[in-house]
Amino acid sequence: MKLALTPLLAALTCQAVSAFPNLEPSALRPRASNPSILIDPPGFPPLPSAQQAAFQSAVVGLNLSNIQGDILIGMRKKKELFFFFSIDNPTAFKSRLGSDILPLITRTTQILPNATHPPATAVNIAFSQRGLNVLGIRDDLNDTNFKNGQMYNVTATLGDQTSYWEPAFAGHHIHGVFLVASDTIDKVKATLSRIQKISKGSISEVYRIQGHARPGNEQGHEHFGFLDGVSNPAVSGFAVAVPGQATVDPGIILLGESGDTGTRPDWAKDGSFLAFRQLQQRVPEFNKFLVDNALSEPGLNASENAELLGARMVGRWKSGAPIDLTPLKDDPVLAVDHNRNNDFNFTHPDDPNFDFKTNQSYCPFSAHIRKTNPRADIANPFNQHIIRAGIPYGPEVTDAENASNSSSTDPSLERGLAFVSYQSNIGQGFAFLQQVWANNKNEYLYFALRIGEDPIIGVALDGERFASGLDPKNQTRNITFNEDFVVSRGGEYFFSPSISAIQNTLSV
Ligand code: HEM
Ligand SMILES: *[C@@H]1O[C@H](CO)[C@@H](O)[C@H](O)[C@H]1NC(C)=O
Ligand SMILES: *[C@@H]1O[C@H](CO)[C@@H](O)[C@H](O)[C@H]1NC(C)=O
Ligand SMILES: *[C@@H]1O[C@H](CO)[C@@H](O)[C@H](O)[C@H]1NC(C)=O
Ligand SMILES: *[C@@H]1O[C@H](CO)[C@@H](O)[C@H](O)[C@H]1NC(C)=O
Ligand SMILES: *[C@@H]1O[C@H](CO)[C@@H](O)[C@H](O)[C@H]1NC(C)=O
Ligand SMILES: *[C@@H]1O[C@H](CO)[C@@H](O)[C@H](O)[C@H]1NC(C)=O
Ligand SMILES: *[C@@H]1O[C@H](CO)[C@@H](O)[C@H](O)[C@H]1NC(C)=O
Ligand SMILES: *[C@@H]1O[C@H](CO)[C@@H](O)[C@H](O)[C@H]1NC(C)=O
Ligand SMILES: *[C@@H]1O[C@H](CO)[C@@H](O)[C@H](O)[C@H]1NC(C)=O
Ligand SMILES: *[C@@H]1O[C@H](CO)[C@@H](O)[C@H](O)[C@H]1NC(C)=O
Ligand SMILES: *[C@@H]1O[C@H](CO)[C@@H](O)[C@H](O)[C@H]1NC(C)=O
């Protein structure tokens, strides 16, 4: 395991305790080492340092100390608890929110490499529409998905089977969520107790999910084994794009910033909608599927052909190397080079034998990363971008599960992705990607082909789930998925407000 962001250490030692009375005591004690709360696996694009971000944000007038810390940084937490709560006493809660909770909330400026006041445990807060209602907020944030809540019409839209939904998400009691992130579960628990103590009975727990990066060399990889968090758009005013990465206006992610076309109340500026999904991953079933449907590429043995199928379903090798650049075998050097591992757009203008509108020799049209970010397949720039900020949850696959090729039904062995995406418009971000791109088997954009669903997250609304293009030797062949590898256990839509909104609007 590597310790990321070591420059933090230098900043910590010269911090005066009295200047920051509300930080965790452990963050304030000068220490020989203060482990970062973030992972930094090779292959992830680098975060801007606090100094670089300050410079870039000044150019566009973005106030990074007003934006909660989780929104722009991506999938990098070591441990993260999602604590879903209901508000039982709005008056008491508001008062606590404005006085003792607000100082615990981590801003973007605090979480970046080289930040001056890095918290030992980061805290963010977000509210559902029901939560805003309970707080007496009458303003309309002008997002239909948010307003309706995720459960509303979810089968017709996202394709969920609500019988698999966690009852907590299907109920009507989730008013908000605390995101509590640190390098150890103990610190997460300590901060949660502190929040509960501060809130003194004004809120109650509805549900929780404890996420954690996978162990050892799997750190940064989701449960199927693929490096996850390689590609997020660069938000202008925050980060500079690595080659091949899309740059988006801040308003694609943040309300009220340039690029946000919605009409919003002033106080909503610098907030973002948080789409949360508990996505169970059936790992032994996925692995068996790859073995049973292994491709037949000459020169590759059976297990390599199984790996190849998985890589084509995702669009990247487990290492993170994109198949568009290395289609038939993994390239571990490319995988960890953030200046090359996003530098592709499916078109290959230099290859005279290749027509990117019909030929899937490099990357299938249905691959998860092509379905969810078509890059040069569609006219650029487009607005259907999200910042992904989720984390794996649940234990590693047990020997018994592996041996039986099936996920245990023991709830304590459930594993998956605590999916989080941030966007200024849910219907243009998460819900669009899931409904219009991932779940759509029909003619995809300009391709006069039925290419099937996204092999990882797509749901067949007609029951017949398949994808074509996965077999490089016979690209019209359909490969049928007789079961789902990812099962939605539900979720909710939240609004992650700015610091000033918490201070001046939500707590008064
Ligand atoms: C358990 C469920 C999921 C798994 C295992 C998964 C896995 C992955 C992996 C391995 C990558 C490639 C690495 C990277 O680019 O960071 C990726 C990329 C991505 N995924 Fe997912 N994902 C899941 C759910 C979702 C959902 C629900 C959405 C949105 C509806 C989504 C949207 C994206 C996007 C936008 C990218 C980046 C594509 C690009 O920019 O090239 N994913 N995912
Ligand atoms: C940026 O936001 C912080 C937190 O709300 C606020 O204290 C500060 O005044 C803002 N800065 C500017 C320049 O607006
Ligand atoms: C971190 O801060 C120090 C002191 O302010 C500065 O010299 C250094 O360049 C910074 N590092 C980065 C990566 O910005
Ligand atoms: C539910 O979603 C479907 C598909 O988007 C739409 O056609 C239908 O009008 C929606 N129904 C309601 C009640 O919102
Ligand atoms: C929502 O924003 C749209 C523009 O995107 C505007 O036409 C509409 O009036 C707004 N609705 C509300 C309730 O503010
Ligand atoms: C397939 O080839 C890889 C080396 O590329 C090797 O590690 C693996 O053992 C081989 N598997 C089989 C089943 O032959
Ligand atoms: C698809 O592209 C590959 C790579 O350039 C090429 O070898 C192959 O002949 C092309 N297939 C067709 C049907 O054009
Ligand atoms: C796609 O990448 C090629 C270089 O490989 C470049 O020439 C082309 O302009 C890119 N297309 C878009 C829409 O970015
Ligand atoms: C899972 O079981 C297979 C045999 O079915 C074995 O080859 C593989 O090593 C096992 N994987 C793990 C992680 O134990
Ligand atoms: C697990 O799946 C593999 C691949 O299909 C198969 O070889 C093995 O026999 C299966 N094991 C069991 C216990 O079903
Ligand atoms: C490709 O697959 C389809 C469907 O399985 C089959 O009908 C067709 O004969 C195959 N083509 C070749 C060239 O193998
Ligand atoms: C693949 O499935 C689709 C949808 O069922 C069908 O239209 C298409 O003909 C199939 N392709 C082949 C080669 O069987």
Side-chain angles (χ1 to χ4, degrees):
M1 206 191 316
K2 36 187 301 190
L3 285 189
L5 318 177
T6 40
L8 287 181
L9 312 181
L12 257 184
T13 46
C14 51
Q15 206 168 267
V17 173
S18 57
F20 310 106
N22 293 310
L23 293 180
E24 293 279 297
S26 54
L28 299 168
R29 221 176 295 133
R31 294 153 58 129
S33 70
N34 181 40
S36 171
I37 66 174
L38 304 181
I39 61 171
D40 190 18
F44 275 31
L47 278 175
S49 71
Q51 292 75 14
Q52 289 163 337
F55 176 78
Q56 279 139 208
S57 59
V59 174
V60 302
L62 201 59
N63 184 352
L64 295 177
S65 43
N66 200 33
I67 299 167
Q68 290 199 62
D70 194 48
I71 297 174
L72 299 174
I73 64 164
M75 308 181 70
R76 300 177 193 259
K77 275 77 62 179
K78 284 183 182 163
K79 319 282 177 193
E80 182 175 21
L81 175 73
F82 299 88
F83 180 83
F84 301 93
F85 62 90
S86 69
I87 301 168
D88 307 321
N89 182 336
T91 309
F93 175 72
K94 280 185 179 203
S95 144
R96 298 295 173 174
L97 179 63
S99 58
D100 294 336
I101 295 175
L102 178 60
L104 295 178
I105 306 292
T106 307
R107 305 153 188 242
T108 303
T109 41
Q110 290 175 277
I111 208 159
L112 298 176
N114 230 5
T116 40
H117 316 309
T121 303
V123 177
N124 273 202
I125 191 170
F127 298 94
S128 65
Q129 178 68 67
R130 283 197 179 85
L132 294 183
N133 295 347
V134 167
L135 293 180
I137 302 293
R138 301 271 162 262
D139 291 332
D140 186 348
L141 291 183
N142 204 357
D143 186 285
T144 311
N145 287 283
F146 173 72
K147 202 180 304 178
N148 288 337
Q150 194 174 108
M151 178 79 175
Y152 178 79
N153 204 14
V154 72
T155 304
T157 55
L158 304 180
D160 286 19
Q161 281 178 256
T162 50
S163 55
Y164 294 138
W165 268 47
E166 176 57 46
F169 293 122
H172 295 159
H173 306 297
I174 294 180
H175 293 156
V177 58
F178 279 104
L179 284 55
V180 184
S182 197
D183 62 314
T184 69
I185 301 270
D186 282 349
K187 286 189 200 162
V188 166
K189 283 186 178 156
T191 300
L192 177 66
S193 314
R194 189 164 169 196
I195 291 169
Q196 289 178 303
K197 209 168 156 192
I198 291 170
S199 311
K200 270 204 208 110
S202 65
I203 63 173
S204 53
E205 172 171 359
V206 179
Y207 185 54
R208 69 170 82 184
I209 299 177
Q210 176 64 64
H212 46 87
R214 292 185 53 217
N217 290 336
E218 293 299 320
Q219 188 182 71
H221 296 245
E222 48 70 47
H223 277 289
F224 295 140
F226 297 83
L227 188 64
D228 195 9
V230 189
S231 178
N232 261 325
V235 173
S236 65
F238 176 67
V240 175
V242 293
Q245 199 177 11
T247 299
V248 299
D249 286 338
I252 299 300
I253 307 300
L254 299 163
L255 277 70
E257 292 288 351
S258 100
D260 175 20
T261 53
T263 305
R264 322 287 187 180
D266 289 344
W267 62 266
K269 185 176 178 182
D270 287 345
S272 185
F273 291 113
L274 185 174
F276 183 86
R277 302 273 283 167
Q278 179 179 341
L279 299 176
Q280 179 181 7
Q281 291 179 256
R282 303 175 72 231
V283 180
E285 290 83 352
F286 178 81
N287 288 337
K288 178 176 167 55
F289 177 84
L290 298 187
V291 170
D292 292 350
N293 294 275
L295 297 173
S296 50
E297 197 57 32
L300 303 185
N301 68 29
S303 54
E304 290 168 329
N305 265 306
E307 286 279 304
L308 177 63
L309 176 61
R312 289 181 68 82
M313 287 163 67
V314 171
R316 289 186 186 266
W317 297 90
K318 287 183 174 176
S319 66
I323 57 167
D324 199 47
L325 296 180
T326 181
L328 296 178
K329 67 176 176 48
D330 190 9
D331 179 345
V333 177
L334 166 64
V336 299
D337 183 348
H338 64 255
N339 283 314
R340 293 200 292 139
N341 66 13
N342 263 300
D343 200 7
F344 63 94
N345 66 20
F346 309 123
T347 64
H348 299 275
D350 296 338
D351 181 348
N353 299 317
F354 184 75
D355 173 358
F356 77 98
K357 298 196 178 187
T358 55
N359 190 329
Q360 307 182 71
S361 291
Y362 293 100
C363 183
F365 300 137
S366 61
H368 176 58
I369 68 158
R370 196 167 181 175
K371 279 268 194 178
T372 55
N373 182 5
R375 298 186 183 227
D377 283 339
I378 61 173
N380 273 274
F382 55 89
N383 293 335
Q384 286 80 5
H385 289 286
I386 57 178
I387 299 268
R388 291 174 299 130
I391 188 168
Y393 71 90
E396 295 294 293
V397 172
T398 63
D399 290 344
E401 289 176 295
N402 183 44
S404 65
N405 296 320
S406 58
S407 299
S408 169
T409 52
D410 177 347
S412 73
L413 291 180
E414 181 182 329
R415 64 187 62 79
L417 180 65
F419 175 90
V420 169
S421 75
Y422 290 104
Q423 56 270 296
S424 65
N425 177 338
I426 297 168
Q428 172 181 279
F430 163 72
F432 190 93
L433 270 47
Q434 182 71 56
Q435 186 182 348
V436 182
W437 284 346
N439 293 356
N440 186 0
K441 64 158 54 75
N442 293 311
E443 289 183 22
Y444 176 56
L445 313 171
Y446 49 73
F447 307 119
L449 290 164
R450 280 160 62 81
I451 63 167
E453 290 83 8
D454 180 320
I456 306 298
I457 62 164
V459 178
L461 296 168
D462 59 6
E464 188 210 3
R465 204 168 90 84
F466 73 92
S468 62
L470 296 176
D471 183 351
K473 296 207 311 187
N474 184 350
Q475 298 178 4
T476 58
R477 178 160 82 92
N478 292 331
I479 293 185
T480 302
F481 311 110
N482 288 319
E483 56 188 335
D484 295 332
F485 311 118
V486 170
V487 176
S488 170
R489 308 262 286 116
E492 187 51 286
Y493 297 136
F494 298 94
F495 178 64
S496 177
S498 69
I499 301 295
S500 58
I502 297 172
Q503 188 164 20
N504 303 323
T505 305
L506 301 177
S507 62
V508 297

PDB file of all heavy atoms in Angstrom, residues 79-90:
ATOM      1  N   LYS A  79     -11.446   4.643   3.286  1.00  0.00           N
ATOM      2  CA  LYS A  79     -12.643   4.123   3.960  1.00  0.00           C
ATOM      3  C   LYS A  79     -13.690   5.223   3.872  1.00  0.00           C
ATOM      4  O   LYS A  79     -13.362   6.395   4.073  1.00  0.00           O
ATOM      5  CB  LYS A  79     -12.396   3.841   5.448  1.00  0.00           C
ATOM      6  CG  LYS A  79     -11.079   3.196   5.791  1.00  0.00           C
ATOM      7  CD  LYS A  79     -11.050   1.718   5.507  1.00  0.00           C
ATOM      8  CE  LYS A  79      -9.672   1.165   5.821  1.00  0.00           C
ATOM      9  NZ  LYS A  79      -9.488  -0.186   5.294  1.00  0.00           N
ATOM     10  N   GLU A  80     -14.903   4.846   3.602  1.00  0.00           N
ATOM     11  CA  GLU A  80     -15.955   5.862   3.542  1.00  0.00           C
ATOM     12  C   GLU A  80     -17.269   5.265   4.013  1.00  0.00           C
ATOM     13  O   GLU A  80     -17.726   4.253   3.481  1.00  0.00           O
ATOM     14  CB  GLU A  80     -16.107   6.396   2.104  1.00  0.00           C
ATOM     15  CG  GLU A  80     -17.150   7.500   1.990  1.00  0.00           C
ATOM     16  CD  GLU A  80     -17.216   8.109   0.581  1.00  0.00           C
ATOM     17  OE1 GLU A  80     -16.764   7.448  -0.373  1.00  0.00           O
ATOM     18  OE2 GLU A  80     -17.739   9.225   0.454  1.00  0.00           O
ATOM     19  N   LEU A  81     -17.851   5.917   5.005  1.00  0.00           N
ATOM     20  CA  LEU A  81     -19.151   5.496   5.522  1.00  0.00           C
ATOM     21  C   LEU A  81     -20.242   6.387   4.937  1.00  0.00           C
ATOM     22  O   LEU A  81     -20.107   7.617   4.911  1.00  0.00           O
ATOM     23  CB  LEU A  81     -19.170   5.635   7.053  1.00  0.00           C
ATOM     24  CG  LEU A  81     -20.514   5.338   7.725  1.00  0.00           C
ATOM     25  CD1 LEU A  81     -20.804   3.843   7.710  1.00  0.00           C
ATOM     26  CD2 LEU A  81     -20.521   5.859   9.166  1.00  0.00           C
ATOM     27  N   PHE A  82     -21.311   5.741   4.474  1.00  0.00           N
ATOM     28  CA  PHE A  82     -22.513   6.477   4.073  1.00  0.00           C
ATOM     29  C   PHE A  82     -23.529   6.257   5.177  1.00  0.00           C
ATOM     30  O   PHE A  82     -23.974   5.121   5.399  1.00  0.00           O
ATOM     31  CB  PHE A  82     -23.036   5.953   2.734  1.00  0.00           C
ATOM     32  CG  PHE A  82     -22.041   6.111   1.602  1.00  0.00           C
ATOM     33  CD1 PHE A  82     -21.103   5.123   1.343  1.00  0.00           C
ATOM     34  CD2 PHE A  82     -22.026   7.255   0.829  1.00  0.00           C
ATOM     35  CE1 PHE A  82     -20.165   5.266   0.323  1.00  0.00           C
ATOM     36  CE2 PHE A  82     -21.090   7.414  -0.192  1.00  0.00           C
ATOM     37  CZ  PHE A  82     -20.156   6.422  -0.451  1.00  0.00           C
ATOM     38  N   PHE A  83     -23.854   7.321   5.878  1.00  0.00           N
ATOM     39  CA  PHE A  83     -24.761   7.239   7.022  1.00  0.00           C
ATOM     40  C   PHE A  83     -26.046   7.974   6.650  1.00  0.00           C
ATOM     41  O   PHE A  83     -26.085   9.202   6.591  1.00  0.00           O
ATOM     42  CB  PHE A  83     -24.091   7.871   8.248  1.00  0.00           C
ATOM     43  CG  PHE A  83     -24.929   7.835   9.496  1.00  0.00           C
ATOM     44  CD1 PHE A  83     -24.950   6.693  10.294  1.00  0.00           C
ATOM     45  CD2 PHE A  83     -25.690   8.933   9.879  1.00  0.00           C
ATOM     46  CE1 PHE A  83     -25.719   6.658  11.457  1.00  0.00           C
ATOM     47  CE2 PHE A  83     -26.471   8.898  11.033  1.00  0.00           C
ATOM     48  CZ  PHE A  83     -26.481   7.753  11.820  1.00  0.00           C
ATOM     49  N   PHE A  84     -27.073   7.182   6.335  1.00  0.00           N
ATOM     50  CA  PHE A  84     -28.346   7.755   5.886  1.00  0.00           C
ATOM     51  C   PHE A  84     -29.219   8.027   7.109  1.00  0.00           C
ATOM     52  O   PHE A  84     -29.403   7.141   7.948  1.00  0.00           O
ATOM     53  CB  PHE A  84     -29.052   6.784   4.931  1.00  0.00           C
ATOM     54  CG  PHE A  84     -28.231   6.454   3.709  1.00  0.00           C
ATOM     55  CD1 PHE A  84     -27.396   5.329   3.680  1.00  0.00           C
ATOM     56  CD2 PHE A  84     -28.254   7.276   2.598  1.00  0.00           C
ATOM     57  CE1 PHE A  84     -26.622   5.032   2.558  1.00  0.00           C
ATOM     58  CE2 PHE A  84     -27.483   6.983   1.476  1.00  0.00           C
ATOM     59  CZ  PHE A  84     -26.664   5.870   1.452  1.00  0.00           C
ATOM     60  N   PHE A  85     -29.759   9.218   7.182  1.00  0.00           N
ATOM     61  CA  PHE A  85     -30.493   9.590   8.395  1.00  0.00           C
ATOM     62  C   PHE A  85     -31.823  10.248   8.063  1.00  0.00           C
ATOM     63  O   PHE A  85     -32.041  10.739   6.951  1.00  0.00           O
ATOM     64  CB  PHE A  85     -29.641  10.530   9.268  1.00  0.00           C
ATOM     65  CG  PHE A  85     -29.280  11.845   8.605  1.00  0.00           C
ATOM     66  CD1 PHE A  85     -30.109  12.967   8.731  1.00  0.00           C
ATOM     67  CD2 PHE A  85     -28.117  11.973   7.857  1.00  0.00           C
ATOM     68  CE1 PHE A  85     -29.785  14.177   8.123  1.00  0.00           C
ATOM     69  CE2 PHE A  85     -27.775  13.183   7.243  1.00  0.00           C
ATOM     70  CZ  PHE A  85     -28.609  14.282   7.374  1.00  0.00           C
ATOM     71  N   SER A  86     -32.683  10.241   9.068  1.00  0.00           N
ATOM     72  CA  SER A  86     -33.900  11.043   8.953  1.00  0.00           C
ATOM     73  C   SER A  86     -33.839  12.134  10.018  1.00  0.00           C
ATOM     74  O   SER A  86     -33.168  11.987  11.042  1.00  0.00           O
ATOM     75  CB  SER A  86     -35.159  10.181   9.115  1.00  0.00           C
ATOM     76  OG  SER A  86     -35.251   9.740  10.429  1.00  0.00           O
ATOM     77  N   ILE A  87     -34.480  13.222   9.721  1.00  0.00           N
ATOM     78  CA  ILE A  87     -34.464  14.366  10.638  1.00  0.00           C
ATOM     79  C   ILE A  87     -35.740  14.313  11.464  1.00  0.00           C
ATOM     80  O   ILE A  87     -36.840  14.408  10.928  1.00  0.00           O
ATOM     81  CB  ILE A  87     -34.378  15.694   9.844  1.00  0.00           C
ATOM     82  CG1 ILE A  87     -33.114  15.707   8.980  1.00  0.00           C
ATOM     83  CG2 ILE A  87     -34.416  16.890  10.798  1.00  0.00           C
ATOM     84  CD1 ILE A  87     -33.062  16.834   7.949  1.00  0.00           C
ATOM     85  N   ASP A  88     -35.567  14.123  12.766  1.00  0.00           N
ATOM     86  CA  ASP A  88     -36.732  13.977  13.639  1.00  0.00           C
ATOM     87  C   ASP A  88     -37.155  15.303  14.259  1.00  0.00           C
ATOM     88  O   ASP A  88     -38.329  15.519  14.530  1.00  0.00           O
ATOM     89  CB  ASP A  88     -36.416  12.976  14.761  1.00  0.00           C
ATOM     90  CG  ASP A  88     -35.908  11.656  14.195  1.00  0.00           C
ATOM     91  OD1 ASP A  88     -36.455  11.223  13.152  1.00  0.00           O
ATOM     92  OD2 ASP A  88     -34.962  11.081  14.761  1.00  0.00           O
ATOM     93  N   ASN A  89     -36.157  16.159  14.480  1.00  0.00           N
ATOM     94  CA  ASN A  89     -36.448  17.460  15.088  1.00  0.00           C
ATOM     95  C   ASN A  89     -35.739  18.540  14.261  1.00  0.00           C
ATOM     96  O   ASN A  89     -34.579  18.866  14.504  1.00  0.00           O
ATOM     97  CB  ASN A  89     -35.958  17.473  16.542  1.00  0.00           C
ATOM     98  CG  ASN A  89     -36.289  18.777  17.236  1.00  0.00           C
ATOM     99  OD1 ASN A  89     -36.469  19.821  16.586  1.00  0.00           O
ATOM    100  ND2 ASN A  89     -36.350  18.740  18.564  1.00  0.00           N
ATOM    101  N   PRO A  90     -36.443  19.070  13.256  1.00  0.00           N
ATOM    102  CA  PRO A  90     -35.804  19.998  12.313  1.00  0.00           C
ATOM    103  C   PRO A  90     -35.200  21.225  12.998  1.00  0.00           C
ATOM    104  O   PRO A  90     -34.096  21.648  12.636  1.00  0.00           O
ATOM    105  CB  PRO A  90     -36.941  20.413  11.372  1.00  0.00           C
ATOM    106  CG  PRO A  90     -37.966  19.334  11.501  1.00  0.00           C
ATOM    107  CD  PRO A  90     -37.837  18.784  12.889  1.00  0.00           C
TER     108      PRO A  90
END
